[in-house]
Amino acid sequence: MPKKVIVAMSGGVDSSVAAALLKKQGFQVSGVFMRFWLARRSLGEGGFERWNRCCSIEAEQRAREVARVIGIPFYVFNFEKEFKKRIVDRFLAEHKAGATPNPCVICNKEIKFGLLLEKSLALGAQYVATGHYVRRQGKKTLRGSDPEKDQSYFLWRLSQQQLSHVFFPVGGYKKPLVRALAKKFKLPTAETPESQEICFVPDTVNEFLKRYFKPKKGPIVEQVHYGVNKIVGQHQGLVFYTIGQRKGIMLPQGPYWVKDKDFKKNILIVTKNAKDLLRKELFFGNANWLSGKPPKFPLKVTAKIRYRAKLTPAIVYENHKVIFEQPQRAVTPGQSAVFYRGQELLGGGVISRG
């Protein structure tokens, strides 16, 4: 009897090819489209449209058509309430607390490999599959074969129990081959554009945040040198800025970069010297190790502090301190510090301070 696999189909090319590959390999495949919470975008004159990059009506229609072409059952799971509570509300709360969170990391843990996996197993499936560019080798989780598309960074919070029920069918392919396979399988998503932004944010993060937070203005201060500061402008609310930001500070004397945020005094600290953003160490919390237990410390790793950052040699200590071989730019509280040994994803944590 073929093993049952439920594929999370987003209406994009990667998950479409993942479903087609599994069907070709003889699995009993079903497709599932997850409806998340939808933001509202103004249409002017009091009108609004419900809009979302990753679970729009158009995306659902594409996923349904792919399932028809492949010849597999197709279902829609409504996770709107859970997504709003676990992802969107948490995203807003962390911004309010001064952090810059990565909601995709939480979504993978709580929704895609949380709720979806739980529901799939309850329905009799043995596995769920996604279009992530990640590989599995025994109990090890490895970076995707395409270094430009590798998405292992977003999976550091997962457990062995979750990963033991997951397939990543396109993880061993490079993106051009995935698109070629989509054309070979005659899938309607072969030319679907890449999705790069936070799925529930209709426009920009700041525009989204402005719907929930009122401006709380305060001084922008430049640290001229140690112990000497000068006020150079007025910010619109610390929640609207992130460490390392250059655009949107709106100071004519610039360019300036955001160096720090003092929430107690409501002060935005900026610098004209980009080197002031460099840090050779950081501390992290909420550690998770994919093996299920902490490694032996000190631990030599390669690490990255944001998705598009380069892997950098570092040492992780038992007190959750990381020292990098080379200084890192804009170490940002709320973002993920993720650790590797070679191609293997070891785990990670949430940056608390630089």
Side-chain angles (χ1 to χ4, degrees), residues 296-309:
K296 292 182 179 180
F297 297 102
L299 177 67
K300 290 185 177 180
V301 299
T302 54
K304 57 166 63 181
I305 59 170
R306 61 182 61 84
Y307 175 47
R308 290 298 179 187

Side-chain angles (χ1 to χ4, degrees), residues 143 150 153 302-307 309-311 336-338 340:
R143 302 180 72 220
D150 166 51
Y153 176 88
T302 54
K304 57 166 63 181
I305 59 170
R306 61 182 61 84
Y307 175 47
K310 292 183 179 179
L311 284 167
S336 295
V338 181
Y340 297 83

Side-chain angles (χ1 to χ4, degrees), residues 162-175:
Q162 290 171 309
L163 288 164
S164 66
H165 292 284
V166 176
F167 285 149
F168 301 112
V170 302
Y173 296 92
K174 293 190 175 181
K175 187 74 176 201

Side-chain angles (χ1 to χ4, degrees), residues 189-249:
T189 54
E191 302 296 335
T192 303
E194 298 289 295
S195 177
Q196 300 287 352
E197 305 297 330
I198 297 172
C199 70
F200 59 84
V201 174
D203 301 300
T204 66
V205 171
N206 266 4
E207 288 300 317
F208 181 76
L209 293 175
K210 286 175 183 177
R211 301 177 184 187
Y212 299 91
F213 301 110
K214 293 181 180 180
K216 186 180 178 183
K217 297 180 180 181
I220 301 177
V221 169
E222 179 186 3
Q223 191 173 54
V224 182
H225 52 79
Y226 187 76
V228 179
N229 303 323
K230 70 175 181 178
I231 296 176
V232 293
Q234 185 180 65
H235 67 76
Q236 300 302 304
L238 296 181
V239 72
F240 303 120
Y241 302 85
T242 188
I243 306 299
Q245 177 181 334
R246 181 176 68 84
K247 295 182 180 180
I249 303 176

